[in-house]
Amino acid sequence: MSTIDRRQTCLPSLVSGQRLDRPTFHARYAAMPPKTRAELIGGVVHMPSPLGSDHGLTDWSVSGWLFHYARFTPGTSGANNSSVFLGDWGEPQPDCLLLILPEFGGQSRIEDGFFAGAPELVVEVARSSRGIDLGVKKADYERAGVPEYLVVVRDPDEIFWHVLRDGRYVLLPPEADGLYRSEVFPGLWLDPGALFARDLNGLIATLDQGLAIREHAEFVARLGQMRVPLVDL
């Protein structure tokens, strides 16, 4: 997770376990010293521990996978370690996200230089944070209406791909060939074996197969038809 610019103020410091509303959390977070890492999850401040190499390596692979998809899918984009405003109760910093741009019909937007609303896909890489990512953070993303939530767990290596149906998350199972296929982003195929083995060639080769299917081309065409120019007010 990354840091955000801080202003020198007299606001109280953040303390793990505090209950705050999101505007108060955001103001205090902006005033914290550099390199501070914090999230507001379910209205409670969480200040996670340092991240290990397996987290960073997996995060990097996931980022490359999503970047490759967005590169060939006009109307989509992504980000790493960016604060996301989720109503009055949450301000997480997901490891990765993939979104449909607002001018192409996406449901998130930029507000005061930050993401606001629910991105179409959020990815968290978890080890020590497994309980949080699959617990209170999952509940926040579900309540906010994030259509797909992927948790990549290390030690033991597991994939939890959640899809929002009727306002509740259900697990998306791998298909018979062992691959996961996004329902929101046609062609976004994941080979978990390649991901955990850090086999980048295999990871991208599987994704390229997904990008070649007819449904992906149709998705790109639909996004193009939905495009509207953004107007600065």
Side-chain angles (χ1 to χ4, degrees):
M1 298 176 185
S2 65
T3 58
I4 58 178
D5 293 337
R6 271 71 178 176
R7 302 183 303 273
Q8 295 299 320
T9 73
C10 297
L11 292 174
S13 297
L14 290 175
V15 177
S16 184
Q18 282 180 316
R19 289 193 169 274
L20 299 173
D21 59 39
R22 194 201 58 74
T24 302
F25 167 83
H26 186 76
R28 292 189 187 181
Y29 190 16
M32 293 290 287
K35 299 186 182 299
T36 299
R37 296 168 50 244
E39 296 180 287
L40 187 69
I41 306 171
V44 177
V45 176
H46 290 256
M47 304 182 76
S49 58
L51 303 177
S53 58
D54 59 347
H55 184 287
L57 290 167
T58 304
D59 192 340
W60 188 72
S61 297
V62 170
S63 298
W65 172 64
L66 294 176
F67 176 87
H68 191 77
Y69 182 85
R71 180 185 172 202
F72 293 100
T73 313
T76 68
S77 189
N80 290 0
N81 302 309
S82 300
S83 295
V84 179
F85 298 166
L86 297 179
D88 292 329
W89 68 88
E91 189 175 320
Q93 288 183 222
D95 291 310
C96 305
L97 58 85
L98 183 66
L99 55 85
I100 298 173
L101 294 168
E103 62 266 36
F104 289 85
Q107 60 181 27
S108 60
R109 63 194 184 281
I110 302 296
E111 182 179 299
D112 297 328
F114 295 91
F115 290 106
E120 279 70 27
L121 171 66
V122 168
V123 184
E124 297 282 7
V125 179
R127 188 170 186 172
S128 61
S129 64
R130 174 188 178 123
I132 293 173
D133 291 333
L134 292 173
V136 289
K137 188 176 283 189
K138 172 189 163 189
D140 270 8
Y141 289 140
E142 182 181 73
R143 176 164 52 164
V146 174
E148 290 192 323
Y149 176 42
L150 169 59
V151 183
V152 180
V153 177
R154 303 307 312 262
D155 192 24
D157 295 340
E158 295 179 273
I159 295 289
F160 295 88
W161 197 316
H162 305 86
V163 178
L164 194 65
R165 294 181 181 156
D166 297 323
R168 302 295 301 227
Y169 277 141
V170 297
L171 283 173
L172 179 70
E175 297 191 12
D177 56 5
L179 303 181
Y180 289 86
R181 291 172 170 84
S182 171
E183 293 186 357
V184 173
F185 293 98
L188 184 63
W189 293 7
L190 176 63
D191 179 346
L195 175 63
F196 290 127
R198 298 204 294 273
D199 175 8
L200 299 182
N201 289 332
L203 187 68
I204 298 304
T206 295
L207 179 53
D208 281 339
Q209 293 177 37
L211 292 170
I213 65 174
R214 173 177 50 83
E215 289 81 0
H216 177 259
E218 293 172 346
F219 178 58
V220 171
R222 287 198 304 274
L223 290 178
Q225 293 169 357
M226 295 180 66
R227 184 175 189 178
V228 295
L230 293 180
V231 178
D232 294 329
L233 300 178

